[in-house]
Amino acid sequence: MASNDEVSASAPAPADPKGKKDFSTAILERKKSPNRLVVDEATNDDNSVVALHPDTMERLQLFRGDTVLLKGKKRKDTICIVLADDTCEEAKVRMNKVVRKNLRVRLGDIVSVHQCQDVKYGKHIHTLPIDDTVEGITGNLFDAFLKHEILNFKLYSKLLLVYAHAHF
């Protein structure tokens, strides 16, 4: 038969009767905001897609291809399409560098993910090059940079991608 010392060592400590919180075990508690996730590097290079773990998607009641509103720092937000990724950790969201720059966040920062309903399709696109980014670029800028984005993805009214660097 086990002694009282052995039983108390294996059982969790009871809560403090005075109502004080034990901060030494606070990291083991479940998060109160399941929509606040840590930013991680994306495995693909898609500017309009973020990846979540399937369990996180289920907890947030999201489905593959849903539109989500991501809120970053300095009141910056953007809209992306969510995809499931089994290799992504549950408390993380994977996004590429362009999405991170639009949200003003870095790897390891916290962003909030919200389901975005009734997103209307964009009717007009105004593309204005930033002066210092087009110096030395020759050829058709539409074919080189924008055609892929327009043909392969739905453009939403809030989706704004800023291309600061041209890759050749």
PDB file of all heavy atoms in Angstrom, residues 97-122:
ATOM      1  N   LYS A  97       6.720  35.637 -46.354  1.00  0.00           N
ATOM      2  CA  LYS A  97       7.306  36.934 -46.011  1.00  0.00           C
ATOM      3  C   LYS A  97       6.421  38.106 -46.417  1.00  0.00           C
ATOM      4  O   LYS A  97       6.347  39.115 -45.711  1.00  0.00           O
ATOM      5  CB  LYS A  97       8.672  37.047 -46.700  1.00  0.00           C
ATOM      6  CG  LYS A  97       9.480  38.220 -46.275  1.00  0.00           C
ATOM      7  CD  LYS A  97      10.863  38.181 -46.892  1.00  0.00           C
ATOM      8  CE  LYS A  97      11.690  39.341 -46.400  1.00  0.00           C
ATOM      9  NZ  LYS A  97      13.046  39.305 -46.949  1.00  0.00           N
ATOM     10  N   VAL A  98       5.732  38.004 -47.544  1.00  0.00           N
ATOM     11  CA  VAL A  98       4.877  39.099 -48.006  1.00  0.00           C
ATOM     12  C   VAL A  98       3.716  39.320 -47.044  1.00  0.00           C
ATOM     13  O   VAL A  98       3.407  40.460 -46.674  1.00  0.00           O
ATOM     14  CB  VAL A  98       4.369  38.824 -49.440  1.00  0.00           C
ATOM     15  CG1 VAL A  98       3.359  39.868 -49.870  1.00  0.00           C
ATOM     16  CG2 VAL A  98       5.530  38.769 -50.410  1.00  0.00           C
ATOM     17  N   VAL A  99       3.073  38.245 -46.583  1.00  0.00           N
ATOM     18  CA  VAL A  99       1.963  38.367 -45.635  1.00  0.00           C
ATOM     19  C   VAL A  99       2.474  38.928 -44.312  1.00  0.00           C
ATOM     20  O   VAL A  99       1.844  39.807 -43.711  1.00  0.00           O
ATOM     21  CB  VAL A  99       1.263  37.004 -45.429  1.00  0.00           C
ATOM     22  CG1 VAL A  99       0.165  37.105 -44.393  1.00  0.00           C
ATOM     23  CG2 VAL A  99       0.714  36.478 -46.744  1.00  0.00           C
ATOM     24  N   ARG A 100       3.633  38.448 -43.853  1.00  0.00           N
ATOM     25  CA  ARG A 100       4.206  38.960 -42.603  1.00  0.00           C
ATOM     26  C   ARG A 100       4.513  40.446 -42.713  1.00  0.00           C
ATOM     27  O   ARG A 100       4.263  41.212 -41.784  1.00  0.00           O
ATOM     28  CB  ARG A 100       5.481  38.195 -42.237  1.00  0.00           C
ATOM     29  CG  ARG A 100       5.235  36.779 -41.798  1.00  0.00           C
ATOM     30  CD  ARG A 100       6.446  36.183 -41.109  1.00  0.00           C
ATOM     31  NE  ARG A 100       7.686  36.318 -41.833  1.00  0.00           N
ATOM     32  CZ  ARG A 100       8.200  35.413 -42.652  1.00  0.00           C
ATOM     33  NH1 ARG A 100       7.549  34.283 -42.874  1.00  0.00           N
ATOM     34  NH2 ARG A 100       9.355  35.620 -43.251  1.00  0.00           N
ATOM     35  N   LYS A 101       5.024  40.869 -43.851  1.00  0.00           N
ATOM     36  CA  LYS A 101       5.351  42.293 -44.023  1.00  0.00           C
ATOM     37  C   LYS A 101       4.079  43.144 -44.030  1.00  0.00           C
ATOM     38  O   LYS A 101       4.048  44.231 -43.459  1.00  0.00           O
ATOM     39  CB  LYS A 101       6.133  42.494 -45.319  1.00  0.00           C
ATOM     40  CG  LYS A 101       6.607  43.905 -45.486  1.00  0.00           C
ATOM     41  CD  LYS A 101       7.574  44.048 -46.620  1.00  0.00           C
ATOM     42  CE  LYS A 101       8.052  45.485 -46.687  1.00  0.00           C
ATOM     43  NZ  LYS A 101       9.087  45.675 -47.660  1.00  0.00           N
ATOM     44  N   ASN A 102       3.019  42.649 -44.670  1.00  0.00           N
ATOM     45  CA  ASN A 102       1.758  43.392 -44.686  1.00  0.00           C
ATOM     46  C   ASN A 102       1.157  43.515 -43.289  1.00  0.00           C
ATOM     47  O   ASN A 102       0.477  44.492 -42.985  1.00  0.00           O
ATOM     48  CB  ASN A 102       0.761  42.728 -45.624  1.00  0.00           C
ATOM     49  CG  ASN A 102       1.127  42.927 -47.076  1.00  0.00           C
ATOM     50  OD1 ASN A 102       1.861  43.846 -47.423  1.00  0.00           O
ATOM     51  ND2 ASN A 102       0.614  42.060 -47.929  1.00  0.00           N
ATOM     52  N   LEU A 103       1.394  42.513 -42.421  1.00  0.00           N
ATOM     53  CA  LEU A 103       0.877  42.549 -41.053  1.00  0.00           C
ATOM     54  C   LEU A 103       1.831  43.226 -40.077  1.00  0.00           C
ATOM     55  O   LEU A 103       1.490  43.406 -38.915  1.00  0.00           O
ATOM     56  CB  LEU A 103       0.603  41.121 -40.564  1.00  0.00           C
ATOM     57  CG  LEU A 103      -0.541  40.386 -41.239  1.00  0.00           C
ATOM     58  CD1 LEU A 103      -0.580  38.938 -40.792  1.00  0.00           C
ATOM     59  CD2 LEU A 103      -1.860  41.074 -40.945  1.00  0.00           C
ATOM     60  N   ARG A 104       3.038  43.558 -40.549  1.00  0.00           N
ATOM     61  CA  ARG A 104       4.083  44.168 -39.712  1.00  0.00           C
ATOM     62  C   ARG A 104       4.476  43.241 -38.568  1.00  0.00           C
ATOM     63  O   ARG A 104       4.650  43.675 -37.428  1.00  0.00           O
ATOM     64  CB  ARG A 104       3.662  45.519 -39.139  1.00  0.00           C
ATOM     65  CG  ARG A 104       3.150  46.540 -40.121  1.00  0.00           C
ATOM     66  CD  ARG A 104       4.203  46.955 -41.119  1.00  0.00           C
ATOM     67  NE  ARG A 104       3.827  48.149 -41.846  1.00  0.00           N
ATOM     68  CZ  ARG A 104       3.152  48.165 -42.989  1.00  0.00           C
ATOM     69  NH1 ARG A 104       2.771  47.037 -43.524  1.00  0.00           N
ATOM     70  NH2 ARG A 104       2.867  49.295 -43.597  1.00  0.00           N
ATOM     71  N   VAL A 105       4.608  41.941 -38.855  1.00  0.00           N
ATOM     72  CA  VAL A 105       5.017  40.975 -37.837  1.00  0.00           C
ATOM     73  C   VAL A 105       6.273  40.246 -38.305  1.00  0.00           C
ATOM     74  O   VAL A 105       6.604  40.240 -39.490  1.00  0.00           O
ATOM     75  CB  VAL A 105       3.907  39.945 -37.523  1.00  0.00           C
ATOM     76  CG1 VAL A 105       2.707  40.614 -36.893  1.00  0.00           C
ATOM     77  CG2 VAL A 105       3.512  39.158 -38.757  1.00  0.00           C
ATOM     78  N   ARG A 106       6.941  39.621 -37.363  1.00  0.00           N
ATOM     79  CA  ARG A 106       8.119  38.808 -37.632  1.00  0.00           C
ATOM     80  C   ARG A 106       7.840  37.381 -37.162  1.00  0.00           C
ATOM     81  O   ARG A 106       6.828  37.114 -36.521  1.00  0.00           O
ATOM     82  CB  ARG A 106       9.332  39.360 -36.876  1.00  0.00           C
ATOM     83  CG  ARG A 106       9.722  40.745 -37.310  1.00  0.00           C
ATOM     84  CD  ARG A 106      10.883  41.228 -36.507  1.00  0.00           C
ATOM     85  NE  ARG A 106      11.257  42.583 -36.915  1.00  0.00           N
ATOM     86  CZ  ARG A 106      12.088  43.332 -36.266  1.00  0.00           C
ATOM     87  NH1 ARG A 106      12.652  42.903 -35.163  1.00  0.00           N
ATOM     88  NH2 ARG A 106      12.374  44.543 -36.706  1.00  0.00           N
ATOM     89  N   LEU A 107       8.773  36.493 -37.466  1.00  0.00           N
ATOM     90  CA  LEU A 107       8.646  35.119 -36.985  1.00  0.00           C
ATOM     91  C   LEU A 107       8.646  35.124 -35.463  1.00  0.00           C
ATOM     92  O   LEU A 107       9.457  35.794 -34.830  1.00  0.00           O
ATOM     93  CB  LEU A 107       9.801  34.257 -37.513  1.00  0.00           C
ATOM     94  CG  LEU A 107       9.849  34.060 -39.021  1.00  0.00           C
ATOM     95  CD1 LEU A 107      11.108  33.311 -39.411  1.00  0.00           C
ATOM     96  CD2 LEU A 107       8.623  33.333 -39.509  1.00  0.00           C
ATOM     97  N   GLY A 108       7.714  34.382 -34.869  1.00  0.00           N
ATOM     98  CA  GLY A 108       7.617  34.317 -33.415  1.00  0.00           C
ATOM     99  C   GLY A 108       6.631  35.301 -32.821  1.00  0.00           C
ATOM    100  O   GLY A 108       6.304  35.201 -31.638  1.00  0.00           O
ATOM    101  N   ASP A 109       6.148  36.259 -33.588  1.00  0.00           N
ATOM    102  CA  ASP A 109       5.148  37.204 -33.093  1.00  0.00           C
ATOM    103  C   ASP A 109       3.775  36.532 -33.028  1.00  0.00           C
ATOM    104  O   ASP A 109       3.556  35.474 -33.622  1.00  0.00           O
ATOM    105  CB  ASP A 109       5.066  38.430 -33.996  1.00  0.00           C
ATOM    106  CG  ASP A 109       6.256  39.356 -33.825  1.00  0.00           C
ATOM    107  OD1 ASP A 109       7.027  39.181 -32.865  1.00  0.00           O
ATOM    108  OD2 ASP A 109       6.427  40.261 -34.670  1.00  0.00           O
ATOM    109  N   ILE A 110       2.850  37.182 -32.356  1.00  0.00           N
ATOM    110  CA  ILE A 110       1.492  36.664 -32.205  1.00  0.00           C
ATOM    111  C   ILE A 110       0.561  37.406 -33.161  1.00  0.00           C
ATOM    112  O   ILE A 110       0.587  38.631 -33.239  1.00  0.00           O
ATOM    113  CB  ILE A 110       0.978  36.861 -30.753  1.00  0.00           C
ATOM    114  CG1 ILE A 110       1.927  36.208 -29.749  1.00  0.00           C
ATOM    115  CG2 ILE A 110      -0.432  36.334 -30.598  1.00  0.00           C
ATOM    116  CD1 ILE A 110       1.918  34.709 -29.760  1.00  0.00           C
ATOM    117  N   VAL A 111      -0.264  36.645 -33.879  1.00  0.00           N
ATOM    118  CA  VAL A 111      -1.316  37.222 -34.712  1.00  0.00           C
ATOM    119  C   VAL A 111      -2.632  36.572 -34.308  1.00  0.00           C
ATOM    120  O   VAL A 111      -2.655  35.493 -33.732  1.00  0.00           O
ATOM    121  CB  VAL A 111      -1.062  37.007 -36.227  1.00  0.00           C
ATOM    122  CG1 VAL A 111       0.191  37.710 -36.674  1.00  0.00           C
ATOM    123  CG2 VAL A 111      -1.009  35.546 -36.569  1.00  0.00           C
ATOM    124  N   SER A 112      -3.720  37.240 -34.596  1.00  0.00           N
ATOM    125  CA  SER A 112      -5.026  36.647 -34.335  1.00  0.00           C
ATOM    126  C   SER A 112      -5.684  36.284 -35.663  1.00  0.00           C
ATOM    127  O   SER A 112      -5.581  37.022 -36.640  1.00  0.00           O
ATOM    128  CB  SER A 112      -5.910  37.578 -33.511  1.00  0.00           C
ATOM    129  OG  SER A 112      -6.147  38.769 -34.208  1.00  0.00           O
ATOM    130  N   VAL A 113      -6.335  35.135 -35.673  1.00  0.00           N
ATOM    131  CA  VAL A 113      -6.965  34.586 -36.868  1.00  0.00           C
ATOM    132  C   VAL A 113      -8.465  34.549 -36.631  1.00  0.00           C
ATOM    133  O   VAL A 113      -8.921  33.966 -35.647  1.00  0.00           O
ATOM    134  CB  VAL A 113      -6.433  33.164 -37.165  1.00  0.00           C
ATOM    135  CG1 VAL A 113      -7.088  32.596 -38.396  1.00  0.00           C
ATOM    136  CG2 VAL A 113      -4.928  33.180 -37.314  1.00  0.00           C
ATOM    137  N   HIS A 114      -9.224  35.177 -37.520  1.00  0.00           N
ATOM    138  CA  HIS A 114     -10.678  35.222 -37.389  1.00  0.00           C
ATOM    139  C   HIS A 114     -11.319  34.777 -38.691  1.00  0.00           C
ATOM    140  O   HIS A 114     -10.836  35.121 -39.774  1.00  0.00           O
ATOM    141  CB  HIS A 114     -11.148  36.645 -37.072  1.00  0.00           C
ATOM    142  CG  HIS A 114     -10.513  37.225 -35.850  1.00  0.00           C
ATOM    143  ND1 HIS A 114     -10.955  36.963 -34.590  1.00  0.00           N
ATOM    144  CD2 HIS A 114      -9.434  38.037 -35.717  1.00  0.00           C
ATOM    145  CE1 HIS A 114     -10.200  37.597 -33.711  1.00  0.00           C
ATOM    146  NE2 HIS A 114      -9.259  38.261 -34.381  1.00  0.00           N
ATOM    147  N   GLN A 115     -12.420  34.057 -38.563  1.00  0.00           N
ATOM    148  CA  GLN A 115     -13.149  33.655 -39.755  1.00  0.00           C
ATOM    149  C   GLN A 115     -13.764  34.898 -40.392  1.00  0.00           C
ATOM    150  O   GLN A 115     -14.296  35.769 -39.709  1.00  0.00           O
ATOM    151  CB  GLN A 115     -14.238  32.654 -39.398  1.00  0.00           C
ATOM    152  CG  GLN A 115     -14.908  32.046 -40.594  1.00  0.00           C
ATOM    153  CD  GLN A 115     -15.867  30.943 -40.208  1.00  0.00           C
ATOM    154  OE1 GLN A 115     -16.313  30.861 -39.070  1.00  0.00           O
ATOM    155  NE2 GLN A 115     -16.199  30.105 -41.155  1.00  0.00           N
ATOM    156  N   CYS A 116     -13.664  34.983 -41.698  1.00  0.00           N
ATOM    157  CA  CYS A 116     -14.140  36.151 -42.417  1.00  0.00           C
ATOM    158  C   CYS A 116     -15.260  35.706 -43.348  1.00  0.00           C
ATOM    159  O   CYS A 116     -15.026  34.951 -44.289  1.00  0.00           O
ATOM    160  CB  CYS A 116     -12.985  36.765 -43.196  1.00  0.00           C
ATOM    161  SG  CYS A 116     -13.272  38.432 -43.707  1.00  0.00           S
ATOM    162  N   GLN A 117     -16.456  36.150 -43.074  1.00  0.00           N
ATOM    163  CA  GLN A 117     -17.599  35.717 -43.863  1.00  0.00           C
ATOM    164  C   GLN A 117     -18.065  36.847 -44.769  1.00  0.00           C
ATOM    165  O   GLN A 117     -17.803  38.013 -44.518  1.00  0.00           O
ATOM    166  CB  GLN A 117     -18.726  35.285 -42.935  1.00  0.00           C
ATOM    167  CG  GLN A 117     -18.282  34.163 -42.041  1.00  0.00           C
ATOM    168  CD  GLN A 117     -19.438  33.426 -41.428  1.00  0.00           C
ATOM    169  OE1 GLN A 117     -20.572  33.716 -41.718  1.00  0.00           O
ATOM    170  NE2 GLN A 117     -19.141  32.468 -40.591  1.00  0.00           N
ATOM    171  N   ASP A 118     -18.757  36.476 -45.800  1.00  0.00           N
ATOM    172  CA  ASP A 118     -19.334  37.437 -46.744  1.00  0.00           C
ATOM    173  C   ASP A 118     -18.289  38.368 -47.331  1.00  0.00           C
ATOM    174  O   ASP A 118     -18.456  39.581 -47.374  1.00  0.00           O
ATOM    175  CB  ASP A 118     -20.442  38.260 -46.074  1.00  0.00           C
ATOM    176  CG  ASP A 118     -21.575  37.375 -45.567  1.00  0.00           C
ATOM    177  OD1 ASP A 118     -21.819  36.327 -46.188  1.00  0.00           O
ATOM    178  OD2 ASP A 118     -22.184  37.729 -44.557  1.00  0.00           O
ATOM    179  N   VAL A 119     -17.193  37.790 -47.805  1.00  0.00           N
ATOM    180  CA  VAL A 119     -16.165  38.585 -48.472  1.00  0.00           C
ATOM    181  C   VAL A 119     -16.573  38.738 -49.926  1.00  0.00           C
ATOM    182  O   VAL A 119     -16.813  37.764 -50.626  1.00  0.00           O
ATOM    183  CB  VAL A 119     -14.782  37.910 -48.375  1.00  0.00           C
ATOM    184  CG1 VAL A 119     -13.741  38.724 -49.103  1.00  0.00           C
ATOM    185  CG2 VAL A 119     -14.397  37.736 -46.928  1.00  0.00           C
ATOM    186  N   LYS A 120     -16.670  39.966 -50.372  1.00  0.00           N
ATOM    187  CA  LYS A 120     -17.091  40.232 -51.737  1.00  0.00           C
ATOM    188  C   LYS A 120     -15.890  40.165 -52.670  1.00  0.00           C
ATOM    189  O   LYS A 120     -14.765  40.459 -52.278  1.00  0.00           O
ATOM    190  CB  LYS A 120     -17.746  41.605 -51.819  1.00  0.00           C
ATOM    191  CG  LYS A 120     -19.003  41.672 -50.999  1.00  0.00           C
ATOM    192  CD  LYS A 120     -19.635  43.027 -51.062  1.00  0.00           C
ATOM    193  CE  LYS A 120     -20.933  42.943 -50.288  1.00  0.00           C
ATOM    194  NZ  LYS A 120     -21.354  44.123 -49.682  1.00  0.00           N
ATOM    195  N   TYR A 121     -16.149  39.774 -53.890  1.00  0.00           N
ATOM    196  CA  TYR A 121     -15.096  39.740 -54.890  1.00  0.00           C
ATOM    197  C   TYR A 121     -14.752  41.163 -55.307  1.00  0.00           C
ATOM    198  O   TYR A 121     -15.606  42.037 -55.390  1.00  0.00           O
ATOM    199  CB  TYR A 121     -15.530  38.939 -56.118  1.00  0.00           C
ATOM    200  CG  TYR A 121     -15.681  37.476 -55.838  1.00  0.00           C
ATOM    201  CD1 TYR A 121     -16.936  36.888 -55.766  1.00  0.00           C
ATOM    202  CD2 TYR A 121     -14.560  36.678 -55.639  1.00  0.00           C
ATOM    203  CE1 TYR A 121     -17.074  35.536 -55.510  1.00  0.00           C
ATOM    204  CE2 TYR A 121     -14.688  35.328 -55.386  1.00  0.00           C
ATOM    205  CZ  TYR A 121     -15.946  34.758 -55.317  1.00  0.00           C
ATOM    206  OH  TYR A 121     -16.070  33.431 -55.056  1.00  0.00           O
ATOM    207  N   GLY A 122     -13.470  41.378 -55.590  1.00  0.00           N
ATOM    208  CA  GLY A 122     -13.032  42.682 -56.045  1.00  0.00           C
ATOM    209  C   GLY A 122     -13.514  42.956 -57.455  1.00  0.00           C
ATOM    210  O   GLY A 122     -13.574  42.061 -58.292  1.00  0.00           O
TER     211      GLY A 122
END
